Amino acid sequence: AAIHVRLVRGRIAVKLTLTLVGFVAVTVFAADLYLSRALQAFAVESLESRLAMAARLLHDEARAAAAGRAAPDMRAFALRAARPTAARVTLIAPDGAVLADSEVEPGDLSRLENHRSRPEIREALVGRQGRDLRTSATLQAPSLYVEIPVGEAGRVSAVLRLALPVSEVTASFAALYRIMAAGALVALALAAGIGLFVAGRVTRPVVEMQTIARRMAEGDSALRAPVRSPDEIGALGRALNRMMAGLTERLEALEAERAKVTAILEGMVEGVMAVDGQGCILWMNERA
């Protein structure tokens, strides 16, 4: 019996603990996912602001370099602009051809695809700032591209593009991700501890009710379940006590009726006998 009680308590405690730990795990996972995406969005916005500001500061110099269309001048501008910004700097003609690139040699520019069909370039060609987040074919890493129109009096003579890998910003989030992971592990450990504690508090009265109910079923009509709290466990104990009290009253009433019928039959002058379907005698009074 003691082993059975321990098994019941163990099963209930494990279920309650796993439920709590599972709920906390799902909540922590959802929170970490939301924070990761929020940090990623913040990183992209921060990087876009940084590149857009650098591009605006380079506008006049880019316009001067693109005005003469001299390849050495444009190449020198791209390299000079890339040093302080650590970004990839590209000058693009209105027809989409690449005029200069800080990471591509002038002799290899002809092998680059035409950029006019790209959405961010089209935005810049109509006088607006363009942006795109995609994997760079050169760097093989997710990179942010920011483009601004270069020109004056509403006429676009070229497009200045600055690009940086998103990892330039997200690399600083590694320590924060480690803190988030450690916090998740601590939350799960606390959930497991709290789950075991709460499960013990909950399962103890439930197992007591089970033991009491079994003893009542075995005929201990004087036994009553303890009612220690007004919650659902206490309500279960009160219901069990009411059920046992009602059952005891009915059994006493049946016993009284049985004694009354027995007294009547024993006092009769006629013989009375009860038999079953096979003719076996079940009961007979003294006269019979």
Side-chain angles (χ1 to χ4, degrees), residues 252-271:
E252 290 175 352
L254 287 174
E255 187 63 29
E257 288 296 324
R258 182 170 176 271
K260 185 187 299 183
V261 171
T262 301
I264 293 173
L265 292 175
E266 289 293 346
M268 293 177 63
V269 295
E270 294 86 358

Side-chain angles (χ1 to χ4, degrees), residues 107-264:
D108 297 330
L109 292 177
S110 60
R111 291 200 291 267
L112 298 179
E113 62 176 321
N114 190 284
H115 290 20
R116 185 175 177 84
S117 61
R118 295 183 177 180
E120 69 275 13
I121 300 298
R122 291 202 299 266
E123 286 287 314
L125 289 175
V126 297
R128 294 191 294 265
Q129 177 180 311
R131 59 151 285 184
D132 189 30
L133 179 64
R134 65 175 181 271
T135 299
S136 170
T138 304
L139 301 176
Q140 295 298 318
S143 301
L144 180 67
Y145 296 83
V146 174
E147 292 83 4
I148 65 168
V150 174
E152 56 184 346
R155 179 177 173 273
V156 178
S157 59
V159 173
L160 175 62
R161 184 182 74 183
L162 271 68
L164 265 178
V166 179
S167 59
E168 288 288 329
V169 179
T170 57
S172 62
F173 296 158
L176 185 57
Y177 288 141
R178 287 194 294 270
I179 293 174
M180 290 168 56
L185 292 177
V186 170
L188 291 176
L190 288 176
I194 294 173
L196 291 173
F197 174 75
V198 173
R201 296 287 299 273
V202 172
T203 56
R204 189 178 300 112
V206 170
V207 173
E208 287 180 0
M209 296 289 180
Q210 182 191 34
T211 303
I212 291 170
R214 186 179 66 252
R215 290 178 59 184
M216 287 179 175
E218 292 172 353
D220 192 349
S221 60
L223 191 63
R224 292 293 182 268
V227 180
R228 302 189 183 97
S229 60
D231 57 10
E232 289 80 0
I233 301 298
L236 177 62
R238 287 189 292 272
L240 192 61
N241 291 338
R242 285 196 299 269
M243 181 190 71
M244 194 60 197
L247 185 60
T248 301
E249 291 178 359
R250 290 185 180 87
L251 289 175
E252 290 175 352
L254 287 174
E255 187 63 29
E257 288 296 324
R258 182 170 176 271
K260 185 187 299 183
V261 171
T262 301
I264 293 173

